[in-house]
């Protein structure tokens, strides 16, 4: 088990993933709708490798996707956080929420906490989100955070996928974050 930060919001706990999260990851990646823009449906051995990749990212970079838990129920909600695989055009804050938790505001709540972490703790000057052009749910979440389509595309190395790049600067986030609190 890796040591790492724990972020808390009103309803959520974000922590470094652990092997016990495998069933949550499997649930996310076995749902064709939820997994559509994050690699598609995967069987359990591939999901386990994906979980290990996320843990390796924490080891190599010192940060990565958090496992997101509902504090009241203990349910695994998804994976959200800073992410910068080798060759990525720029470090991003990404999100994937299990479909049974869509519409509860968990995505924006967890993404806002990890954007605070990226700017305040990791010292980033800007944040991007790599979003498929047809992923209207993630576009809506990005807009809620105050991010905008930056007008350029990026091919994600090793995945052969081209995505729209959304994002904002640290100064923009300082203004946009205030709007989320209100």
């Amino acid at each position: 088990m890796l040591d790492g930060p724990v972020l808390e919001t009103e309803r959520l706990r974000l922590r470094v993933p652990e092997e016990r999260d495998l069933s949550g990851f499997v649930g996310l990646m076995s749902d064709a709708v939820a997994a559509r823009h994050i690699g598609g449906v995967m069987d359990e051995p591939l999901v386990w490798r994906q979980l290990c990749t996320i843990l390796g990212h924490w080891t190599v970079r010192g940060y990565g996707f958090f496992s997101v838990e509902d504090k009241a129920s203990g349910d695994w909600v998804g994976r959200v956080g800073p992410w910068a695989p080798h060759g990525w055009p720029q470090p991003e804050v990404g999100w994937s929420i299990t479909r049974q938790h869509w519409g509860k505001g968990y995505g924006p709540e967890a993404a806002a906490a990890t954007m605070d972490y990226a700017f305040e703790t990791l010292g980033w000057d800007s944040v991007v989100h790599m979003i498929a052009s047809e992923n209207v749910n993630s576009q809506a979440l990005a807009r809620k955070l105050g991010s905008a389509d930056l007008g350029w595309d990026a091919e994600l190395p090793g995945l052969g996928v081209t995505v729209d790049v959304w994002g904002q600067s640290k100064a923009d986030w300082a203004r946009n974050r205030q709007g989320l609190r209100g």
Side-chain angles (χ1 to χ4, degrees):
M1 186 163 37
L2 294 174
D3 286 330
V6 176
L7 309 181
E8 301 255 351
T9 69
E10 182 180 333
R11 301 179 299 162
L12 303 173
R13 179 176 299 105
L14 291 77
R15 58 171 175 73
V16 175
E18 300 173 6
E19 188 173 4
R20 69 182 166 108
D21 299 325
L22 180 61
S23 63
F25 276 89
V26 169
L28 175 67
M29 298 309 298
S30 64
D31 180 335
V33 175
R36 178 175 176 213
H37 301 293
I38 56 171
V41 170
M42 295 179 189
D43 62 16
E44 189 168 326
L46 286 178
V47 176
W48 185 84
R49 289 183 184 127
Q50 184 182 71
L51 174 58
C52 291
T53 296
I54 291 169
L55 291 171
H57 190 283
W58 272 99
T59 299
V60 172
R61 300 268 193 226
Y63 61 87
F65 282 123
F66 290 93
S67 275
V68 181
E69 297 174 324
D70 178 305
K71 290 193 311 193
S73 68
D75 287 350
W76 191 88
V77 170
R79 62 179 196 196
V80 177
W83 184 244
H86 177 74
W88 225 242
Q90 179 178 335
E92 75 165 315
V93 167
W95 48 78
S96 302
I97 302 295
T98 58
R99 192 156 40 130
Q100 65 265 33
H101 294 294
W102 288 3
K104 297 179 181 179
Y106 289 158
E109 188 174 330
T114 59
M115 287 180 64
D116 288 342
Y117 178 76
F119 289 127
E120 296 168 10
T121 302
L122 300 178
W124 293 3
D125 294 324
S126 64
V127 162
V128 298
H129 321 289
M130 309 298 177
I131 303 175
S133 60
E134 64 277 3
N135 190 343
V136 295
N137 290 342
S138 279
Q139 292 167 7
L141 196 159
R143 278 189 202 94
K144 189 173 282 191
L145 295 169
S147 292
D149 187 334
L150 299 177
W152 57 284
D153 298 337
E155 184 176 335
L156 301 182
L159 300 177
V161 174
T162 300
V163 295
D164 297 333
V165 180
W166 289 63
Q168 62 185 293
S169 69
K170 182 177 183 177
D172 289 337
W173 178 242
R175 289 186 298 276
N176 294 328
R177 184 65 163 113
Q178 291 304 315
L180 284 175
R181 289 188 177 112

